[in-house]
Every structure is written in C-alpha cells, then in structure tokens.
Amino acid sequence: MNRIVFLIPLVNTFGAVAVYFYFSFILPSQETAGIPDYFTPLFSAIGTMILCLFGFLLFRKSLRTMFEVAFKKIKINSLEESEIYHLQREALKFPMVVSSVAFMVWIFAGFIFGLLEPLIAARIFNVQTPDLIACIRVFLGICLLGGGVTSLILYFVMENAWRSYIHNFFPGGHLNRVKNVFKLTVRKRFLIVFLGIILIPLPTMGMTIFASIREMNMSDAITRNQIMDSLVWELGFISLDLVAIVIILAYFLSKSILVPLLGFKRAIKKIENNNLDTRVKILSNDEFGDVAEGFNLMIKSLKESQKLRKSFGKYVSKEIRDEILAGNPSLDGEMKRATLLFSDLRNFTGLVEKNHPKHVVTIINQYFNEMTLAINEHKGLILQYVGDEILAAFGVPIGFEDHPEMAVKAALKMRNRLVLLNKKLEQDGFEPLAHGIGIHSGAVLAGNIGSKERMSYALIGDTVNSASRIEGLTKNYGCDIIISQTTYNLLTGSYNTKQLAPVKVKGKEDELIIYKLLS
C-alpha cells in the first residue's frame, strides 16, 4: 500500500487514541447507571464505521485518476488539456483537502459521540439526560483537541509526503501557471502553526476550568479536592499533548523549508562541477517554488551561454573568445597593427572534377579542420573561409605584440599538419593536397561590418590586399610559404628563410621584397 494511502488513517488513528486516552483515563467519568456495558463499544464501532464512510464519500470521486497519475500508472501528458489542468489544481489542493475533510469528520465525530450518544442512550435506556456542560466538554475535546490538532499535523505530514509526487503532475514545472488555487506561503505556514498551537487548546482548557469551578461550587470539601486533582491531571495532559504537538509541527515545518534548501544546495554543487544538466525539483507553489522556477531558468540560460561559448570557440582561439565575450576589445572599428595570413589550396578545381562531391566535402573539411587547429593554437582569428581559401588575422581583436611571430609559427604548423593529412589521404586512395600561404604585417581598420540584420568582424586596408597578393606569388616561385619584408623585419625568432627576387604586384607601384620561409 502506498504511504499516502497509509498516512491518512495512521495520523487520524493516533489522534483517536489520544482522545480515547483523554476521555477514558484523564477526564472524570460520568455516571452511567442503567446503561449496559455493551452499549458504548457497540455505539463506538457503529459511529466509527459511519465516520469512515462519511470521509470516504467526501472526496472519493477525485482520488482514482489523481492517484494513478501520482503513482505513474498514467502519464499526465496523455490526458486531455482540460483534465490535465483540473488534476493539477487538485494535486496542489490535495494536502489541504485531506486535512479539511479530516477536520469535518472530527466535527461530525464530536457531534456523534459528544452530543448524540448521550441523548440516544438516555432515550433508549430511559436514564437521565446528561449535563449539557459535560456534553460540550466532550464535543470540544473531540473537535478541537482531537480534530484540530490531528488535522493540523495531517496537513504538514501530507504536504511533506505529497511533494515527491508533485513532479508527476508538473513534469515541466510551472506550478504557478495554475491560477485560483490554494497557496500556503512560508509566512502563512508559520502563522497557522503559531495560531493553531495557541488557539486550539484554549476552548478545551477554558471549558475544563469552567466546568471544574462550577462543580466545586456545588460540592463539599472532599469532592472539591477530588475535582482539583482531576483538573490538575487534565491540564497536565493537555499541556503535555501541546508540547508533543509543538515538537511534531516544528519538525515537519522545518522539513518543509529544509528539503527545498537542500535541493538548491545540491544543484549549486553540481553547477560548481560544471554540470548544467541538473534541475531543481519544483515541489510547491509557494516562494520556494518561485525560486526553484527562477533557478532552473538561470541554469538553462547558463547552459545556452556555455553552448554559445563553445560554438564561438570553434571560430576563434580560447583566449580571443574569452576576451571578446568579456567585452574587453572594441569591435566598433579602430586602426590596429596586425599580421594577415592567406592560405589557398592548389589544383582545387581538379580535385572537384576527379572525386565525388561527398568525398570533396570530406577532404576539404579535413583540411580546414587541420589548418584551423594550427591557427587557433597560435591565437589566430579566422575571419572567413572562401571556397578553398582561409583568411586569418593575428593581433586582432586582441592586441599581441608578437603577432608576426604567431603568424609565422602558425604557417609552419599548417605545413606540418598538411604533411600528416596527406599521408592519411594517400592511404584512403586520394591525391595529396598542396597549398600556398602568404603573410604580411601592417595597419588595418578592424571592426564589425555589415547590415543591421547580419554583421561580421572584418579587416579593411592595403595590408589585407598585399597579403592576398603575396599568397598568389607562391605559385610563381613554386613554394608554399612567403612572408613580406615588413613581417620579416618584425620577427624576433630565428627562422630559415631565403630572400626572393623583388616583385611588382597588382595595385602596388613599388616592388615588394619577399622571403621564402623554409623552416
């Protein structure tokens, strides 16, 4: 049997045992002359059966489907939208409905055993009608001391137990989208517990003291002492009962606050370990539910940012990515000194003609992947892929003093990676690739350029054009890497180069002094 079904009669049974103990052993017994011994047990059995039937009839209609969803026998998304909304409302109200029904049953019990039983006994067995004050004491004791306390405890017990099933009604969260439903905020929860502890015992204690004083006024000295002793026992029992209630309610009240907080603590720990797939279970529609909803949205936003960060890292190196995302470099447009690297595949047209398009795409992607790794390794920024060409920049948008050195090292790394790639291509039955690389340093205008709908980070200036022209010279000189005089003069490391004959390029009046990069 599920614990929810088990808890409802269990808590009420504890309340019934406490009430029975109070009226059987603490409250002074009333004279029952003329009433057979079998009547009270028989009436109690019949009354209990009536009360159980009354409680079951009050909310039996809404229990079946709701329990099937709670116990995962039915998925709530498989139901119609109107029924889903109804069940979600019922699920949020369930602890309060159970405790309210329980309190109504206890009131009915107070009427049956406190008022109806003495009248029926007097009528059947023709005995004296019991004192009204005594009947009211029994009625209040059952309704308030028994029903009020039991219903209050039952609510917090059910709320704590029912929370583990709420997720089955709200698999996507959003408990607060259900409108016009019972909501017990943290402040109200404390207030109800405080008022329940203070106000529930007061009528019973007041009636007990009033009845005792009334009896003492009509009694002799010996009887007064007996009444006083009985009053002490009654008030002592109520006080002890109240202490037990305070402990129980304090436990469940603290648990209703501690459980969500521990959930947040565990989720924060997982986030610290970079686990952004974690989610906080939304267990209620109070302030903790609102915070959990916002917390999950925050985690979702962090995951999307991380995804964007990783995607951005595919285009630039990690260092440049972090600087751009941090907002440190200006992307509005500024003059900067940078080194440009142009790379172009040789005989690309022949590659396309000799191979299936799928193979061409596979080969070109493998080539771009290897070259990109080499460029990113030396903090280069790939501005664009154009057909079989790569345009990369060093020193923008993050300024590095050794940008010429970075570009040359990247070019040498590209050469090494191409050698390894060609070995793999030859094993797969494809012809080896060859490329030409041109490197030039100078001033460029760097910034975001484009329309309002689409922009890209681009470099403009004569340096860009010169780098492109130098790359084209690799065909004329039959080499793979050529650097300009400007880049050569800025290098601080030791490289094996060979000066080539000065050459004129399109758009330039002066001849360019260039070097072949050997190693």
Side-chain angles (χ1 to χ4, degrees), residues 28-54:
S29 59
Q30 303 294 319
E31 294 293 334
T32 57
I35 299 178
D37 294 337
Y38 68 83
F39 176 75
T40 299
L42 178 63
F43 190 89
S44 298
I46 295 173
T48 302
M49 291 176 59
I50 293 173
L51 291 172
C52 292
L53 181 63
F54 175 67

PDB file of all heavy atoms in Angstrom, residues 28-54:
ATOM      1  N   PRO A  28     -12.851  13.142  34.228  1.00  0.00           N
ATOM      2  CA  PRO A  28     -13.663  12.404  35.210  1.00  0.00           C
ATOM      3  C   PRO A  28     -14.810  11.674  34.522  1.00  0.00           C
ATOM      4  O   PRO A  28     -15.501  12.246  33.668  1.00  0.00           O
ATOM      5  CB  PRO A  28     -14.194  13.509  36.133  1.00  0.00           C
ATOM      6  CG  PRO A  28     -13.230  14.633  35.959  1.00  0.00           C
ATOM      7  CD  PRO A  28     -12.748  14.561  34.549  1.00  0.00           C
ATOM      8  N   SER A  29     -14.962  10.412  34.850  1.00  0.00           N
ATOM      9  CA  SER A  29     -16.005   9.606  34.211  1.00  0.00           C
ATOM     10  C   SER A  29     -17.379  10.029  34.716  1.00  0.00           C
ATOM     11  O   SER A  29     -17.554  10.404  35.871  1.00  0.00           O
ATOM     12  CB  SER A  29     -15.773   8.128  34.506  1.00  0.00           C
ATOM     13  OG  SER A  29     -15.775   7.903  35.912  1.00  0.00           O
ATOM     14  N   GLN A  30     -18.369   9.979  33.811  1.00  0.00           N
ATOM     15  CA  GLN A  30     -19.747  10.336  34.149  1.00  0.00           C
ATOM     16  C   GLN A  30     -20.493   9.084  34.623  1.00  0.00           C
ATOM     17  O   GLN A  30     -20.165   7.953  34.256  1.00  0.00           O
ATOM     18  CB  GLN A  30     -20.449  10.930  32.913  1.00  0.00           C
ATOM     19  CG  GLN A  30     -19.750  12.141  32.338  1.00  0.00           C
ATOM     20  CD  GLN A  30     -19.777  13.322  33.297  1.00  0.00           C
ATOM     21  OE1 GLN A  30     -20.793  13.585  33.955  1.00  0.00           O
ATOM     22  NE2 GLN A  30     -18.661  14.033  33.387  1.00  0.00           N
ATOM     23  N   GLU A  31     -21.452   9.313  35.472  1.00  0.00           N
ATOM     24  CA  GLU A  31     -22.262   8.198  35.964  1.00  0.00           C
ATOM     25  C   GLU A  31     -23.053   7.604  34.799  1.00  0.00           C
ATOM     26  O   GLU A  31     -23.688   8.324  34.029  1.00  0.00           O
ATOM     27  CB  GLU A  31     -23.239   8.689  37.047  1.00  0.00           C
ATOM     28  CG  GLU A  31     -22.538   9.172  38.313  1.00  0.00           C
ATOM     29  CD  GLU A  31     -21.849   8.039  39.036  1.00  0.00           C
ATOM     30  OE1 GLU A  31     -22.278   6.867  38.889  1.00  0.00           O
ATOM     31  OE2 GLU A  31     -20.867   8.317  39.755  1.00  0.00           O
ATOM     32  N   THR A  32     -22.979   6.302  34.634  1.00  0.00           N
ATOM     33  CA  THR A  32     -23.674   5.622  33.529  1.00  0.00           C
ATOM     34  C   THR A  32     -24.612   4.543  34.059  1.00  0.00           C
ATOM     35  O   THR A  32     -24.765   3.475  33.450  1.00  0.00           O
ATOM     36  CB  THR A  32     -22.646   4.988  32.582  1.00  0.00           C
ATOM     37  OG1 THR A  32     -21.813   4.087  33.317  1.00  0.00           O
ATOM     38  CG2 THR A  32     -21.794   6.048  31.901  1.00  0.00           C
ATOM     39  N   ALA A  33     -25.219   4.786  35.211  1.00  0.00           N
ATOM     40  CA  ALA A  33     -26.126   3.806  35.799  1.00  0.00           C
ATOM     41  C   ALA A  33     -27.312   3.593  34.872  1.00  0.00           C
ATOM     42  O   ALA A  33     -27.917   4.547  34.386  1.00  0.00           O
ATOM     43  CB  ALA A  33     -26.606   4.292  37.172  1.00  0.00           C
ATOM     44  N   GLY A  34     -27.640   2.317  34.671  1.00  0.00           N
ATOM     45  CA  GLY A  34     -28.778   1.983  33.817  1.00  0.00           C
ATOM     46  C   GLY A  34     -28.407   1.743  32.369  1.00  0.00           C
ATOM     47  O   GLY A  34     -29.253   1.287  31.595  1.00  0.00           O
ATOM     48  N   ILE A  35     -27.180   2.046  31.996  1.00  0.00           N
ATOM     49  CA  ILE A  35     -26.751   1.839  30.608  1.00  0.00           C
ATOM     50  C   ILE A  35     -25.888   0.589  30.570  1.00  0.00           C
ATOM     51  O   ILE A  35     -24.893   0.487  31.295  1.00  0.00           O
ATOM     52  CB  ILE A  35     -25.948   3.047  30.094  1.00  0.00           C
ATOM     53  CG1 ILE A  35     -26.808   4.315  30.132  1.00  0.00           C
ATOM     54  CG2 ILE A  35     -25.454   2.794  28.672  1.00  0.00           C
ATOM     55  CD1 ILE A  35     -26.086   5.566  29.697  1.00  0.00           C
ATOM     56  N   PRO A  36     -26.220  -0.397  29.741  1.00  0.00           N
ATOM     57  CA  PRO A  36     -25.440  -1.648  29.677  1.00  0.00           C
ATOM     58  C   PRO A  36     -24.004  -1.405  29.237  1.00  0.00           C
ATOM     59  O   PRO A  36     -23.711  -0.451  28.530  1.00  0.00           O
ATOM     60  CB  PRO A  36     -26.204  -2.484  28.638  1.00  0.00           C
ATOM     61  CG  PRO A  36     -27.561  -1.881  28.565  1.00  0.00           C
ATOM     62  CD  PRO A  36     -27.410  -0.426  28.861  1.00  0.00           C
ATOM     63  N   ASP A  37     -23.107  -2.320  29.619  1.00  0.00           N
ATOM     64  CA  ASP A  37     -21.685  -2.181  29.279  1.00  0.00           C
ATOM     65  C   ASP A  37     -21.433  -2.315  27.783  1.00  0.00           C
ATOM     66  O   ASP A  37     -20.451  -1.763  27.262  1.00  0.00           O
ATOM     67  CB  ASP A  37     -20.862  -3.233  30.039  1.00  0.00           C
ATOM     68  CG  ASP A  37     -20.893  -2.998  31.546  1.00  0.00           C
ATOM     69  OD1 ASP A  37     -21.157  -1.848  31.948  1.00  0.00           O
ATOM     70  OD2 ASP A  37     -20.648  -3.962  32.293  1.00  0.00           O
ATOM     71  N   TYR A  38     -22.309  -3.081  27.099  1.00  0.00           N
ATOM     72  CA  TYR A  38     -22.067  -3.305  25.672  1.00  0.00           C
ATOM     73  C   TYR A  38     -22.408  -2.090  24.811  1.00  0.00           C
ATOM     74  O   TYR A  38     -21.998  -2.011  23.662  1.00  0.00           O
ATOM     75  CB  TYR A  38     -22.884  -4.508  25.182  1.00  0.00           C
ATOM     76  CG  TYR A  38     -24.388  -4.268  25.174  1.00  0.00           C
ATOM     77  CD1 TYR A  38     -25.024  -3.613  24.102  1.00  0.00           C
ATOM     78  CD2 TYR A  38     -25.182  -4.708  26.231  1.00  0.00           C
ATOM     79  CE1 TYR A  38     -26.396  -3.395  24.118  1.00  0.00           C
ATOM     80  CE2 TYR A  38     -26.543  -4.487  26.251  1.00  0.00           C
ATOM     81  CZ  TYR A  38     -27.147  -3.831  25.167  1.00  0.00           C
ATOM     82  OH  TYR A  38     -28.499  -3.604  25.175  1.00  0.00           O
ATOM     83  N   PHE A  39     -23.170  -1.147  25.360  1.00  0.00           N
ATOM     84  CA  PHE A  39     -23.672  -0.054  24.519  1.00  0.00           C
ATOM     85  C   PHE A  39     -22.549   0.847  23.992  1.00  0.00           C
ATOM     86  O   PHE A  39     -22.502   1.163  22.793  1.00  0.00           O
ATOM     87  CB  PHE A  39     -24.676   0.790  25.326  1.00  0.00           C
ATOM     88  CG  PHE A  39     -25.169   1.995  24.562  1.00  0.00           C
ATOM     89  CD1 PHE A  39     -26.081   1.865  23.539  1.00  0.00           C
ATOM     90  CD2 PHE A  39     -24.675   3.272  24.858  1.00  0.00           C
ATOM     91  CE1 PHE A  39     -26.526   2.977  22.828  1.00  0.00           C
ATOM     92  CE2 PHE A  39     -25.101   4.376  24.149  1.00  0.00           C
ATOM     93  CZ  PHE A  39     -26.027   4.225  23.139  1.00  0.00           C
ATOM     94  N   THR A  40     -21.650   1.268  24.877  1.00  0.00           N
ATOM     95  CA  THR A  40     -20.576   2.192  24.454  1.00  0.00           C
ATOM     96  C   THR A  40     -19.681   1.579  23.384  1.00  0.00           C
ATOM     97  O   THR A  40     -19.419   2.223  22.350  1.00  0.00           O
ATOM     98  CB  THR A  40     -19.752   2.632  25.668  1.00  0.00           C
ATOM     99  OG1 THR A  40     -20.609   3.323  26.594  1.00  0.00           O
ATOM    100  CG2 THR A  40     -18.627   3.578  25.244  1.00  0.00           C
ATOM    101  N   PRO A  41     -19.154   0.330  23.553  1.00  0.00           N
ATOM    102  CA  PRO A  41     -18.334  -0.249  22.471  1.00  0.00           C
ATOM    103  C   PRO A  41     -19.113  -0.418  21.174  1.00  0.00           C
ATOM    104  O   PRO A  41     -18.565  -0.185  20.087  1.00  0.00           O
ATOM    105  CB  PRO A  41     -17.896  -1.602  23.045  1.00  0.00           C
ATOM    106  CG  PRO A  41     -18.020  -1.453  24.515  1.00  0.00           C
ATOM    107  CD  PRO A  41     -19.176  -0.535  24.744  1.00  0.00           C
ATOM    108  N   LEU A  42     -20.393  -0.859  21.284  1.00  0.00           N
ATOM    109  CA  LEU A  42     -21.199  -1.056  20.085  1.00  0.00           C
ATOM    110  C   LEU A  42     -21.434   0.267  19.378  1.00  0.00           C
ATOM    111  O   LEU A  42     -21.300   0.373  18.143  1.00  0.00           O
ATOM    112  CB  LEU A  42     -22.538  -1.710  20.469  1.00  0.00           C
ATOM    113  CG  LEU A  42     -23.517  -1.936  19.303  1.00  0.00           C
ATOM    114  CD1 LEU A  42     -22.914  -2.900  18.285  1.00  0.00           C
ATOM    115  CD2 LEU A  42     -24.860  -2.470  19.834  1.00  0.00           C
ATOM    116  N   PHE A  43     -21.787   1.309  20.145  1.00  0.00           N
ATOM    117  CA  PHE A  43     -22.034   2.615  19.539  1.00  0.00           C
ATOM    118  C   PHE A  43     -20.744   3.178  18.920  1.00  0.00           C
ATOM    119  O   PHE A  43     -20.774   3.790  17.836  1.00  0.00           O
ATOM    120  CB  PHE A  43     -22.573   3.588  20.597  1.00  0.00           C
ATOM    121  CG  PHE A  43     -23.077   4.869  20.026  1.00  0.00           C
ATOM    122  CD1 PHE A  43     -24.404   4.998  19.618  1.00  0.00           C
ATOM    123  CD2 PHE A  43     -22.230   5.969  19.864  1.00  0.00           C
ATOM    124  CE1 PHE A  43     -24.870   6.185  19.075  1.00  0.00           C
ATOM    125  CE2 PHE A  43     -22.689   7.157  19.318  1.00  0.00           C
ATOM    126  CZ  PHE A  43     -24.023   7.263  18.926  1.00  0.00           C
ATOM    127  N   SER A  44     -19.623   2.938  19.606  1.00  0.00           N
ATOM    128  CA  SER A  44     -18.334   3.426  19.069  1.00  0.00           C
ATOM    129  C   SER A  44     -18.001   2.751  17.745  1.00  0.00           C
ATOM    130  O   SER A  44     -17.531   3.402  16.797  1.00  0.00           O
ATOM    131  CB  SER A  44     -17.216   3.159  20.078  1.00  0.00           C
ATOM    132  OG  SER A  44     -17.455   3.857  21.284  1.00  0.00           O
ATOM    133  N   ALA A  45     -18.260   1.435  17.650  1.00  0.00           N
ATOM    134  CA  ALA A  45     -17.973   0.715  16.412  1.00  0.00           C
ATOM    135  C   ALA A  45     -18.858   1.220  15.272  1.00  0.00           C
ATOM    136  O   ALA A  45     -18.386   1.470  14.151  1.00  0.00           O
ATOM    137  CB  ALA A  45     -18.176  -0.785  16.623  1.00  0.00           C
ATOM    138  N   ILE A  46     -20.142   1.378  15.560  1.00  0.00           N
ATOM    139  CA  ILE A  46     -21.064   1.857  14.521  1.00  0.00           C
ATOM    140  C   ILE A  46     -20.712   3.288  14.121  1.00  0.00           C
ATOM    141  O   ILE A  46     -20.690   3.638  12.931  1.00  0.00           O
ATOM    142  CB  ILE A  46     -22.520   1.776  15.028  1.00  0.00           C
ATOM    143  CG1 ILE A  46     -22.918   0.318  15.271  1.00  0.00           C
ATOM    144  CG2 ILE A  46     -23.475   2.438  14.020  1.00  0.00           C
ATOM    145  CD1 ILE A  46     -24.275   0.136  15.921  1.00  0.00           C
ATOM    146  N   GLY A  47     -20.423   4.133  15.127  1.00  0.00           N
ATOM    147  CA  GLY A  47     -20.071   5.522  14.834  1.00  0.00           C
ATOM    148  C   GLY A  47     -18.800   5.632  14.008  1.00  0.00           C
ATOM    149  O   GLY A  47     -18.707   6.443  13.077  1.00  0.00           O
ATOM    150  N   THR A  48     -17.806   4.802  14.326  1.00  0.00           N
ATOM    151  CA  THR A  48     -16.543   4.818  13.569  1.00  0.00           C
ATOM    152  C   THR A  48     -16.772   4.411  12.126  1.00  0.00           C
ATOM    153  O   THR A  48     -16.202   5.008  11.204  1.00  0.00           O
ATOM    154  CB  THR A  48     -15.521   3.882  14.233  1.00  0.00           C
ATOM    155  OG1 THR A  48     -15.306   4.287  15.592  1.00  0.00           O
ATOM    156  CG2 THR A  48     -14.200   3.920  13.481  1.00  0.00           C
ATOM    157  N   MET A  49     -17.600   3.398  11.894  1.00  0.00           N
ATOM    158  CA  MET A  49     -17.917   2.971  10.530  1.00  0.00           C
ATOM    159  C   MET A  49     -18.616   4.079   9.760  1.00  0.00           C
ATOM    160  O   MET A  49     -18.306   4.330   8.578  1.00  0.00           O
ATOM    161  CB  MET A  49     -18.799   1.721  10.558  1.00  0.00           C
ATOM    162  CG  MET A  49     -18.090   0.473  11.062  1.00  0.00           C
ATOM    163  SD  MET A  49     -19.189  -0.965  11.184  1.00  0.00           S
ATOM    164  CE  MET A  49     -19.731  -1.112   9.489  1.00  0.00           C
ATOM    165  N   ILE A  50     -19.526   4.765  10.419  1.00  0.00           N
ATOM    166  CA  ILE A  50     -20.228   5.883   9.763  1.00  0.00           C
ATOM    167  C   ILE A  50     -19.253   7.002   9.408  1.00  0.00           C
ATOM    168  O   ILE A  50     -19.303   7.583   8.313  1.00  0.00           O
ATOM    169  CB  ILE A  50     -21.351   6.410  10.681  1.00  0.00           C
ATOM    170  CG1 ILE A  50     -22.446   5.342  10.844  1.00  0.00           C
ATOM    171  CG2 ILE A  50     -21.939   7.713  10.116  1.00  0.00           C
ATOM    172  CD1 ILE A  50     -23.503   5.717  11.855  1.00  0.00           C
ATOM    173  N   LEU A  51     -18.320   7.287  10.316  1.00  0.00           N
ATOM    174  CA  LEU A  51     -17.339   8.353  10.077  1.00  0.00           C
ATOM    175  C   LEU A  51     -16.417   8.000   8.918  1.00  0.00           C
ATOM    176  O   LEU A  51     -16.104   8.852   8.075  1.00  0.00           O
ATOM    177  CB  LEU A  51     -16.514   8.597  11.342  1.00  0.00           C
ATOM    178  CG  LEU A  51     -17.270   9.222  12.522  1.00  0.00           C
ATOM    179  CD1 LEU A  51     -16.387   9.229  13.764  1.00  0.00           C
ATOM    180  CD2 LEU A  51     -17.715  10.643  12.181  1.00  0.00           C
ATOM    181  N   CYS A  52     -15.960   6.750   8.857  1.00  0.00           N
ATOM    182  CA  CYS A  52     -15.082   6.325   7.759  1.00  0.00           C
ATOM    183  C   CYS A  52     -15.810   6.425   6.421  1.00  0.00           C
ATOM    184  O   CYS A  52     -15.230   6.883   5.422  1.00  0.00           O
ATOM    185  CB  CYS A  52     -14.601   4.899   7.990  1.00  0.00           C
ATOM    186  SG  CYS A  52     -13.478   4.723   9.398  1.00  0.00           S
ATOM    187  N   LEU A  53     -17.074   5.992   6.412  1.00  0.00           N
ATOM    188  CA  LEU A  53     -17.860   6.082   5.180  1.00  0.00           C
ATOM    189  C   LEU A  53     -18.086   7.537   4.786  1.00  0.00           C
ATOM    190  O   LEU A  53     -17.991   7.893   3.600  1.00  0.00           O
ATOM    191  CB  LEU A  53     -19.203   5.368   5.387  1.00  0.00           C
ATOM    192  CG  LEU A  53     -20.143   5.355   4.172  1.00  0.00           C
ATOM    193  CD1 LEU A  53     -19.498   4.588   3.021  1.00  0.00           C
ATOM    194  CD2 LEU A  53     -21.493   4.726   4.552  1.00  0.00           C
ATOM    195  N   PHE A  54     -18.329   8.384   5.768  1.00  0.00           N
ATOM    196  CA  PHE A  54     -18.545   9.811   5.510  1.00  0.00           C
ATOM    197  C   PHE A  54     -17.286  10.450   4.918  1.00  0.00           C
ATOM    198  O   PHE A  54     -17.348  11.195   3.926  1.00  0.00           O
ATOM    199  CB  PHE A  54     -18.932  10.498   6.823  1.00  0.00           C
ATOM    200  CG  PHE A  54     -19.072  11.985   6.716  1.00  0.00           C
ATOM    201  CD1 PHE A  54     -20.085  12.563   5.958  1.00  0.00           C
ATOM    202  CD2 PHE A  54     -18.182  12.834   7.375  1.00  0.00           C
ATOM    203  CE1 PHE A  54     -20.206  13.945   5.863  1.00  0.00           C
ATOM    204  CE2 PHE A  54     -18.288  14.211   7.278  1.00  0.00           C
ATOM    205  CZ  PHE A  54     -19.319  14.764   6.513  1.00  0.00           C
TER     206      PHE A  54
END
